[in-house]
Amino acid sequence: MFTNSGVFIMYKILEKKEIAMRNTWYKIYAPHVAKKVQPGQFVIVRAFPNGERIPLTPIMWDREEGWIVLVAFTKGKTTMKMAMELKEGDEILNVAGPLGNPAPMEKFGKILAIGAYVGIAEVYPIAKAWQEIGNDVTTLHVTFEPMVILKDYFEKAVSRHIVEPVKIDQEKSFQENTKNVTKALTAKVKELLDNENWDLVFMVGPPGDQKAVFEVVKKYGIPMKVDLHPIMVDGTGMCGACRVTVGGEVKFACVDGPEFDAYLVDWDELIHRVGFYSKLEKLALEKYMEELKAKGVI
Amino acid sequence: MPKLIKERVPTPERPVEERIKDFDEVNLGYTWELALKEAERCLQCPVEYAPCIKGCPVNINIPGFIKALRENKDNPRKAVKEALRVIWACNSLPAITGRVCPQEDQCEGACVVGKVGDPVNIGKLERFVADYARQHGIDDELLMEEIKNIKKNGKKVAVIGAGPAGLTCAAELAKMGYDVTIYEALHEPGGVLAYGIPEFRLPKEILRKELKKLSILGVKIKTDHIVGRTVTIPELLKEYDAIFIGTGAGTPKLLKIPGINLNGIYSANEFLTRINLMKAYKFPEYDTPIIVGKRVIVIGAGNTAMDAARSALRLGAEVIIAYRRGEEDMTARIEEVQHAKEEGVKFMFFVNPVEFIGDENGRVKAVKFEKMKPLEERDSRGKRKIIGTGEYVTVETDTVVIAIGQTPNRIIWKTTPGLKVRENGTIVVDENLMTSIPGVFAGGDAIRGEATVILAMGDGRKAAKAIHEYLSKKSA
């Protein structure tokens, strides 16, 4: 932000660590967000001068000390560059927020809260708060074996935390491997729904996996909520990049969501939209990797 | 009788074949010599009568600043300083308004010379004064003189939104001695000047320099703060003596027709934000991507549509503007329509989109339009009404930009109990621009729906005066 001398005040990285393979934990000084954020809300971060704006979710915060914790999965250029180049003590250019609507804090009863991959980080503040107001929350984390995160935190926060680690088959492509995660996810959800009674299912993860889980849940007729992850630019409702069709109506995930009723979401449309820039995303990442190689970093 | 020169002195422009390859400014503006020559055409109507002043939404003393140029022929530095002093009395951002105002509907539309020839080129003269002053450090000199006269009054005002309305309100209040803080949601201040208007009309360098003046005046800008989420109006009222809401009309209207969410369909706001604010046209040097296919159809015919069309053209696409009314009904500035035509943007008139058709991958591949025809009857804005003919035409495309208008953002009034808004989301204000909450004022597109930069600036100025009166009365 500008001060009266025209200088930028940035957001300091108080702590940075790799908590699992391709998962980086950033504790950032951002008192304006820490003071207000509620479970379910997100921030938009711009880390570099030529950088893009990306949505991330505060998973913990201290209102007095003014910090928030973000966990980013290294997926493309921006998250890779953040993981490679940002150090403790550095500053992030912009942290805007909190954005989006808070998750509803109601007594639903027995809740199954699912996180695929890094999605579990986003589940954490919501599941914790639901448990605190008297819900009986079971959390389920399905991811690759070396990517298990936040296990201790969950075990302290909710009734039961289940981790389903999926082995990475080095012989197969990443794409093939993700299919195994989807399989493990749907199988475990089916098992849990078969053996116990649930009042609500909640899930955060890639839209393809959200859809796959929803296909299972819907057979049981259990209410299901999802946090959607469409492409975002401003995150304040001024562009509609994040628009989704919910119950036949166009909604902006950044102001109307991010949480929606899974039964009303147009899943195929969301999956198409999320992949729109994949070629350019790949190109940006490749160029960055070349840069790193040229510098001798990798 | 004053001698009347019918033809205006033209401003140099970059040739089409050169300018469509980049995003640099198209119009190069007057030199001192050309500006002086154009200034000589002004008939110097008396200030109390001059129609140009009445035509200007902030009532700049136009003959006055032109006179300052003419009376100091041998000393351009002095000429520009005196002219800028006159302009600043009413308008803090002349480098911007000189570039983006629809002068043909305002000052120049009213100029008497225009009755028999070309009106005086007031916009370009205003721009010249601001540019010359900036290039020669004259604006800083004048600013330092002004700052000496500011007496701090110890009162605090919060301004929400760093667009034209908020920036103007903040500048005026700072000059009156208030301690002003602007809250801005995006990472750069400027509002539509930063994310909406492209470099080729308003170089961002000029915007930044104009904004630097605000920081010299002592105005603080807090970016990344979304009022309604980061902090609410009731909370701000505890800390500040008054509030000005200048949050604009930034939510895009989207067509409620099948296929609206296909890939390749952008709102103009998203398209222009990626280009202007995020510099996606420099991808991968800048990280934000944009996808423009071989053919782009822009729907709408206002300034936003022209900006989107000309930006798409610069990214190498063939561009068609599709408008449901006729050529004479277009609301864009004449200069921009002219520029768009020169650059090769094509126009389709009397066509109304009814469906977007997609391919098997969810990407748009064509737009189906209904052909329209005009009626003799006119609507409330004086435009001919149109009706569908029942005939259809389908045009293939791979990118669509929707530029059919904007409405106010919902966040602000959804999170402010007691703030009266109309059904269309615009904030209700009284004749002093005060909202239903005492001490909270509003202006610009937030109260008007989408209008112009200069009307927003006029509101900002008026609100600053009203806030000053309100706080003076309150403390008396």
Side-chain angles (χ1 to χ4, degrees):
Chain A
M1 65 184 87
F2 283 111
T3 64
N4 48 359
S5 55
V7 180
F8 271 111
I9 299 176
M10 291 171 278
Y11 308 98
K12 196 172 200 161
I13 301 170
L14 304 171
E15 207 175 274
K16 184 203 164 194
K17 55 188 179 188
E18 199 177 351
I19 54 170
M21 182 183 150
R22 291 169 74 183
N23 279 272
T24 314
W25 160 294
Y26 301 91
K27 183 169 156 187
I28 297 166
Y29 183 69
H32 65 306
V33 177
K35 201 173 160 189
K36 269 303 174 61
V37 63
Q38 299 289 340
Q41 290 187 302
F42 63 95
V43 293
I44 292 268
V45 169
R46 195 178 68 113
F48 306 102
N50 291 3
E52 59 181 340
R53 295 166 63 94
I54 60 163
L56 290 170
T57 302
I59 63 163
M60 295 167 205
W61 48 83
D62 189 306
R63 302 208 195 281
E64 268 80 57
E65 291 179 15
W67 52 258
I68 57 172
V69 169
L70 306 172
V71 174
F73 176 62
T74 305
K75 190 179 169 214
K77 180 184 174 181
T78 297
T79 45
M80 166 81 89
K81 194 171 172 181
M82 285 172 71
M84 297 292 290
E85 297 183 20
L86 294 177
K87 297 182 296 294
E88 277 182 15
D90 282 352
E91 285 167 331
I92 284 185
L93 289 178
N94 302 98
V95 180
L99 295 161
N101 293 310
M105 282 303 130
E106 291 165 39
K107 270 184 114 168
F108 298 103
K110 192 167 166 183
I111 302 171
L112 176 61
I114 308 160
Y117 308 96
V118 75
I120 199 68
E122 211 172 304
V123 169
Y124 179 72
I126 300 170
K128 182 171 180 275
W130 275 343
Q131 181 81 32
E132 276 166 6
I133 61 166
N135 289 290
D136 175 13
V137 183
T138 296
T139 45
L140 169 64
H141 186 201
V142 185
T143 189
F144 293 123
E145 217 163 32
M147 291 186 189
V148 173
I149 53 169
L150 306 174
K151 193 165 167 279
D152 300 346
Y153 285 98
F154 274 102
E155 282 168 356
K156 268 183 233 150
V158 296
S159 305
R160 177 171 49 150
H161 182 58
I162 307 165
V163 180
E164 283 280 299
V166 176
K167 280 205 167 60
I168 299 177
D169 185 344
Q170 300 292 353
E171 304 286 301
K172 286 182 183 155
S173 70
F174 185 74
Q175 209 63 37
E176 285 296 316
N177 272 294
T178 59
K179 281 184 189 161
N180 293 337
V181 173
T182 310
K183 253 186 240 158
L185 195 54
T186 47
K188 189 69 196 178
V189 170
K190 195 170 175 304
E191 181 197 315
L192 287 164
L193 299 190
D194 273 338
N195 296 324
E196 297 169 48
N197 290 321
W198 303 92
D199 298 303
L200 177 70
V201 176
F202 171 68
M203 179 173 175
V204 185
D209 287 325
Q210 285 178 315
K211 186 191 172 192
V213 168
F214 167 65
E215 295 294 342
V216 174
V217 173
K218 135 176 129 174
K219 290 187 191 128
Y220 298 79
I222 302 164
M224 181 170 173
K225 291 174 185 290
V226 279
D227 267 15
L228 297 187
H229 289 176
I231 291 166
M232 285 189 189
V233 182
D234 62 287
T236 64
M238 59 163 265
C239 85
C242 66
R243 61 190 192 271
V244 286
T245 303
V246 179
E249 274 183 62
V250 175
K251 300 276 182 194
F252 291 5
C254 71
V255 289
D256 300 315
E259 190 181 279
F260 294 99
D261 181 343
Y263 286 80
L264 300 178
V265 173
D266 184 333
W267 288 105
D268 292 334
E269 180 187 278
L270 175 68
I271 291 164
H272 280 310
R273 285 182 68 83
V274 168
F276 186 47
Y277 292 98
S278 53
K279 265 189 199 160
L280 293 180
E281 284 162 1
K282 214 175 136 215
L283 177 78
L285 181 62
E286 277 166 10
K287 274 209 69 154
Y288 180 60
M289 300 291 273
E290 277 167 32
E291 260 175 59
L292 291 179
K293 270 182 202 150
K295 279 188 209 156
V297 181
I298 53 167
Chain B
M1 278 293 286
K3 203 174 103 202
L4 196 142
I5 306 158
K6 284 188 182 174
E7 274 173 32
R8 61 167 52 171
V9 178
T11 42
E13 284 180 357
R14 295 167 64 222
V16 171
E17 55 278 14
E18 178 195 309
R19 75 192 196 217
I20 57 168
K21 292 186 193 123
D22 61 42
F23 278 77
D24 295 343
E25 194 165 23
V26 165
N27 190 299
L28 300 170
Y30 281 134
T31 58
W32 162 246
E33 289 74 23
L34 294 175
L36 204 58
K37 219 170 137 194
E38 179 66 14
E40 294 292 352
R41 296 179 61 232
C42 173
L43 302 181
Q44 290 290 305
C45 305
V47 171
E48 56 278 11
Y49 149 80
C52 58
I53 301 180
K54 292 200 178 75
C56 169
V58 293
N59 309 117
I60 296 173
N61 178 357
I62 293 161
F65 93 75
I66 291 178
K67 190 173 162 204
L69 296 176
R70 300 206 311 207
E71 282 184 345
N72 296 286
K73 275 194 192 64
D74 306 321
N75 188 349
R77 221 187 144 83
K78 186 167 177 229
V80 167
K81 188 170 175 180
E82 290 318 307
L84 189 62
R85 199 192 299 277
V86 175
I87 295 171
W88 271 8
C90 302
N91 174 8
S92 305
L93 306 166
I96 292 163
T97 50
R99 285 175 165 83
V100 307
C101 273
Q103 285 95 358
E104 66 264 22
D105 300 329
Q106 297 171 346
C107 55
E108 292 175 21
C111 172
V112 289
V113 185
K115 305 267 185 276
V116 288
D118 299 330
V120 173
N121 201 342
I122 300 164
K124 294 292 187 296
L125 286 173
E126 180 190 29
R127 169 184 160 170
F128 164 76
V129 169
D131 286 359
Y132 191 95
R134 189 179 60 253
Q135 284 150 11
H136 295 81
I138 300 165
D139 54 348
D140 286 340
E141 212 177 284
L142 200 58
L143 196 58
M144 288 309 157
E145 286 176 32
E146 286 212 1
I147 284 172
K148 275 185 217 146
N149 301 326
I150 298 175
K151 281 190 199 75
K152 288 268 172 199
N153 61 22
K155 286 181 193 146
K156 292 171 76 180
V157 181
V159 169
I160 306 168
L167 294 172
T168 304
C169 186
E172 296 303 315
L173 286 167
K175 285 192 224 164
M176 289 183 232
Y178 290 89
D179 179 356
V180 185
T181 304
I182 305 181
Y183 288 80
E184 167 59 41
L186 290 174
H187 61 270
E188 260 196 62
V192 76
L193 307 170
Y195 72 75
I197 301 176
E199 293 263 348
F200 53 77
R201 282 216 286 141
L202 174 66
K204 298 292 159 275
E205 197 50 36
I206 287 168
L207 173 62
R208 272 182 218 117
K209 293 242 168 85
E210 290 285 67
L211 292 176
K212 219 184 101 199
K213 291 196 304 207
L214 287 189
S215 68
I216 297 171
L217 283 169
V219 174
K220 292 178 279 287
I221 305 180
K222 290 190 177 192
T223 55
D224 310 321
H225 282 61
I226 302 93
V227 172
R229 299 272 196 215
T230 315
V231 62
T232 62
I233 289 180
E235 286 165 341
L236 287 175
L237 273 173
K238 287 180 202 151
E239 202 185 325
Y240 295 91
D241 298 291
I243 291 170
F244 175 74
I245 305 174
T247 45
T251 302
K253 284 185 200 160
L254 292 169
L255 292 155
K256 285 190 175 163
I257 60 174
I260 185 70
N261 288 357
L262 287 166
N263 279 340
I265 302 180
Y266 288 95
S267 73
N269 261 12
E270 180 187 352
F271 192 74
L272 290 170
T273 299
R274 284 178 182 271
I275 290 173
N276 298 320
L277 187 71
M278 307 311 297
K279 303 261 179 291
Y281 62 93
K282 291 186 178 171
F283 179 88
E285 182 195 338
Y286 281 72
D287 294 336
T288 304
I290 193 158
I291 292 179
V292 172
K294 286 199 183 77
R295 181 187 277 168
V296 177
I297 293 180
V298 178
I299 295 169
N303 286 314
T304 310
M306 296 304 142
D307 287 344
R310 296 175 65 203
S311 296
L313 195 97
R314 281 159 172 77
L315 294 167
E318 174 203 358
V319 183
I320 301 169
I321 284 186
Y323 185 37
R324 61 197 176 117
R325 298 173 187 271
E327 177 152 17
E328 64 276 31
D329 301 305
M330 293 197 288
T331 52
R333 290 178 76 209
I334 288 173
E335 187 182 348
E336 304 322 324
V337 174
Q338 198 54 44
H339 282 152
K341 283 184 179 169
E342 287 166 14
E343 290 167 5
V345 172
K346 296 179 188 123
F347 290 80
M348 281 173 74
F349 295 108
F350 295 111
V351 285
N352 194 29
V354 291
E355 187 186 351
F356 298 111
I357 301 158
D359 65 14
E360 65 284 0
N361 296 317
R363 172 98 194 243
V364 66
K365 67 171 186 187
V367 186
K368 185 180 175 189
F369 293 101
E370 182 175 11
K371 292 184 185 172
M372 310 300 283
K373 65 176 183 195
L375 299 172
E376 281 312 308
E377 209 184 320
R378 290 185 182 262
D379 67 13
S380 56
R381 292 171 303 169
K383 287 184 175 179
R384 284 177 302 174
K385 284 188 176 172
I386 44 168
I387 54 158
T389 59
E391 273 181 68
Y392 295 88
V393 55
T394 300
V395 184
E396 282 186 23
T397 187
D398 39 23
T399 309
V400 175
V401 180
I402 299 176
I404 58 165
Q406 276 103 240
T407 57
N409 198 310
R410 289 164 277 172
I411 292 178
I412 195 89
W413 50 263
K414 275 194 170 172
T415 54
T416 310
L419 186 71
K420 236 192 196 169
V421 290
R422 293 183 196 86
E423 209 157 287
N424 64 7
T426 52
I427 298 167
V428 178
V429 289
D430 67 13
E431 65 281 6
N432 294 317
L433 299 182
M434 187 145 93
T435 67
S436 51
I437 304 172
V440 180
F441 297 74
D445 285 2
I447 64 167
R448 296 169 180 277
E450 45 175 341
T452 61
V453 168
I454 189 71
L455 284 174
M457 289 170 56
D459 286 349
R461 208 172 127 71
K462 192 176 160 195
K465 282 184 190 152
I467 288 170
H468 182 58
E469 254 169 54
Y470 170 81
L471 291 179
S472 306
K473 236 184 255 165
K474 214 177 152 194
S475 57

